[in-house]
């Protein structure tokens, strides 16, 4: 899902009823066709890219996507508490944030500084870091713009909910015993998928395993 950049990360969202809007408020996703022939992966799985073109297009696309979701949410750039972007280089992020009119101290680059290029996982890891650092306060307004491989770009706005929201049915899965539940594990024959499947099995979940290669790893 391009909202979280290159499609390299999965995020589980649960829907809950609230008196006023909270959580993810607005989303936009686009494909920049001007970049199709200049960045991507060939049939041999070799990455190719025109760095200068990527930079120029991303500097234009990130503010455009951000402004769209801000308008949908009824927010102004000065209302933003944090901008949590997906991109790796200051050569893109600094000019893009300047084009948005964003103050430098509102640009969160903790994941980039700590882990470098983590592709589509940048935004989820950034939110995890902010949560661990106790920097996500109820009512905070966050905009998350992305520009990924192949010309994908987009953004979403996020209003940090308060701690009083009642948990959804999905969230009990993370509170303890998984007996009586069923888990679908994608890529279960890979190293990470295999470990996740083992952990779920130990916690009592029934498993549905998806895989492509390395079937022997499932035994």
């Amino acid at each position: 899902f391009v909202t979280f950049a290159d499609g390299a990360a999965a995020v589980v969202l649960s829907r809950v009823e609230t008196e006023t809007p909270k959580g993810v408020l607005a989303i936009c996703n686009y494909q920049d066709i001007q970049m199709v022939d200049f960045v991507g992966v060939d049939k041999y799985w070799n990455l190719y890219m025109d760095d200068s073109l990527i930079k120029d297009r991303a500097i234009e696309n990130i503010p455009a996507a951000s402004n769209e979701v801000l308008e949908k949410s009824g927010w102004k750039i000065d209302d933003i508490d944090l901008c949590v972007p997906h991109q790796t280089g200051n050569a893109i992020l600094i000019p893009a944030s300047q084009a948005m009119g964003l103050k430098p101290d509102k640009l969160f680059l903790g994941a980039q500084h700590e882990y470098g290029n983590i592709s589509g996982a940048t935004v989820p890891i950034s939110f995890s870091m902010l949560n661990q650092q106790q920097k996500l306060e109820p009512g905070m307004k966050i905009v998350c713009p992305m520009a990924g491989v192949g010309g994908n770009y987009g953004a979403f706005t996020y209003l940090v909910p308060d701690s009083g929201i009642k948990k959804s049915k999905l969230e009990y899965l993370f509170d303890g015993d998984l007996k009586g539940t069923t888990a679908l594990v994608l890529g279960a024959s890979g190293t990470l998928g295999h470990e996740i499947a083992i952990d779920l099995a130990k916690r009592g979940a029934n498993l549905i395993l998806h895989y492509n290669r390395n079937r022997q790893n499932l035994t």
Side-chain angles (χ1 to χ4, degrees), residues 5-195:
D6 300 335
V11 175
V12 177
L13 299 178
S14 56
R15 177 175 293 184
V16 295
E17 293 185 5
T18 58
E19 293 182 0
T20 57
K22 294 181 177 69
V24 177
L25 301 184
I27 298 174
C28 71
N29 289 292
Y30 293 106
Q31 172 75 42
D32 186 345
I33 60 173
Q34 296 189 44
M35 293 176 62
V36 170
D37 295 328
F38 298 95
V39 58
V41 179
D42 64 22
K43 63 180 180 180
Y44 302 108
W45 298 98
N46 296 313
L47 178 68
Y48 61 89
M49 63 176 63
D50 182 325
D51 292 343
S52 60
L53 180 66
I54 292 172
K55 174 184 174 182
D56 292 343
R57 297 304 300 161
I59 291 173
E60 181 176 335
N61 291 336
I62 286 175
S66 298
N67 290 334
E68 179 176 332
V69 293
L70 288 175
E71 183 176 355
K72 287 181 178 179
S73 302
W75 296 354
K76 302 294 184 183
I77 193 64
D78 290 338
D79 297 329
I80 298 301
D81 294 297
L82 282 178
C83 175
V84 180
H86 161 68
Q87 253 302 335
T88 56
N90 287 346
I92 290 176
L93 290 174
I94 300 303
S97 63
Q98 290 173 343
M100 292 165 57
L102 186 75
K103 295 180 180 178
D105 61 345
K106 293 186 176 183
L107 186 63
F108 181 77
L109 301 177
Q112 288 89 338
H113 294 164
E114 184 74 19
Y115 301 105
N117 186 351
I118 44 179
S119 192
T122 306
V123 171
I125 287 179
S126 294
F127 270 90
S128 179
M129 293 178 68
L130 287 166
N131 185 52
Q132 291 176 356
Q133 296 167 12
Q134 299 183 336
K135 293 182 178 179
L136 293 179
E137 298 181 1
M140 286 181 63
K141 296 179 178 179
I142 300 175
V143 61
C144 297
M146 300 87 189
V149 171
N152 297 327
Y153 71 98
F156 68 90
T157 50
Y158 184 79
L159 182 63
V160 178
D162 57 62
S163 58
I165 291 180
K166 184 179 180 180
K167 291 185 176 182
S168 70
K169 293 180 180 180
L170 283 176
E171 289 181 287
Y172 81 93
L173 295 176
F174 307 101
D175 285 343
D177 196 355
L178 298 183
K179 289 183 179 179
T181 66
T182 300
L184 169 63
V185 182
L186 304 180
S189 62
T191 302
L192 181 58
H194 181 248
E195 293 300 319

